[in-house]
Amino acid sequence: MAMQLAVQALAAILLFGAQSKRATTPPGDARRRPAAATGRRRLAAALLASQLLLPAPAARAGAFDLRITVPEQSREEAEAVVKVHARNLVRVKGLIDARSWRELQSALRSSASNLKQDLYAIIQASPASQRPELRRLYSDLFNSVTRLDYAARDKDELQVQEYYSNIITSLEEIFSKIM
């Protein structure tokens, strides 16, 4: 499907360029569009086609990471490591007490991303009746993580403490539901 759309887009770009050149520049007109304009259009179309049609390398810098949409883990695999990642998230308390704001942000981001993937896999594998509540708790947890990150950036100790306690509460609620 993606290849078909890419080919259609490429054809439309090239066709539009050919039609607009004929329509806007009558033969013998001295005000012709410079050749570089159509050359740039063709170059852009070729770049678009190469990006869409050629297979991308597996470890491409700046590539989208779509693992959150389709969990690569089974529920059992996620449950095996989710407690470790949650423990790493809880351990940022030492950085909060030390007021190491940059280190706090770094540790928070690295542990939260792994935890996010694991929890998402567990939620997707849960029965449909439990998912809405788990999704709400998941949202509360990671909204608190984001707010904690911003509070650490602003060096606001009261907000950092508040959001950290919200994270602990959310984790306890999530683990009481999934374990």
Side-chain angles (χ1 to χ4, degrees):
M1 180 69 170
M3 188 180 306
Q4 194 175 27
L5 289 173
V7 170
Q8 288 175 351
L10 179 60
I13 289 170
L14 293 175
L15 181 63
F16 176 74
Q19 286 177 347
S20 66
K21 184 176 180 183
R22 278 188 231 123
T24 60
T25 57
D29 189 6
R31 297 175 293 159
R32 290 187 118 179
R33 197 183 287 191
T38 58
R40 283 192 300 258
R41 185 176 292 126
R42 286 190 180 147
L43 178 62
L47 286 173
L48 174 67
S50 70
Q51 292 295 317
L52 295 175
L53 297 177
L54 297 177
R60 187 176 198 187
F64 290 111
D65 183 11
L66 300 176
R67 286 183 295 174
I68 196 71
T69 57
V70 179
E72 295 175 351
Q73 298 173 309
S74 68
R75 182 180 176 111
E76 294 76 28
E77 292 170 334
E79 285 178 350
V81 294
V82 72
K83 286 188 178 183
V84 173
H85 294 142
R87 192 175 311 123
N88 290 339
L89 185 63
V90 171
R91 285 185 181 158
V92 300
K93 178 67 171 163
L95 296 171
I96 292 171
D97 294 339
R99 296 182 185 171
S100 301
W101 305 119
R102 295 243 185 239
E103 292 83 8
L104 170 63
Q105 287 179 296
S106 177
L108 190 65
R109 292 171 186 167
S110 66
S111 60
S113 65
N114 294 329
L115 181 62
K116 184 178 261 192
Q117 182 179 349
D118 296 335
L119 286 176
Y120 186 81
I122 292 170
I123 290 170
Q124 289 303 102
S126 297
S129 61
Q130 293 178 351
R131 284 186 205 156
E133 178 67 16
L134 290 173
R135 285 184 183 135
R136 184 190 63 77
L137 294 171
Y138 174 91
S139 177
D140 291 345
L141 171 65
F142 290 105
N143 284 337
S144 293
V145 168
T146 301
R147 289 180 182 130
L148 175 60
D149 190 359
Y150 284 126
R153 182 192 65 188
D154 296 338
K155 300 175 184 170
D156 186 349
E157 292 181 48
L158 289 174
Q159 292 293 316
V160 166
Q161 292 293 338
E162 178 185 342
Y163 294 130
Y164 180 77
S165 65
N166 290 350
I167 289 171
I168 299 301
T169 304
S170 295
L171 282 172
E172 288 172 355
E173 288 182 44
I174 287 172
F175 282 118
S176 71
K177 302 272 186 201
I178 63 174
M179 300 289 178

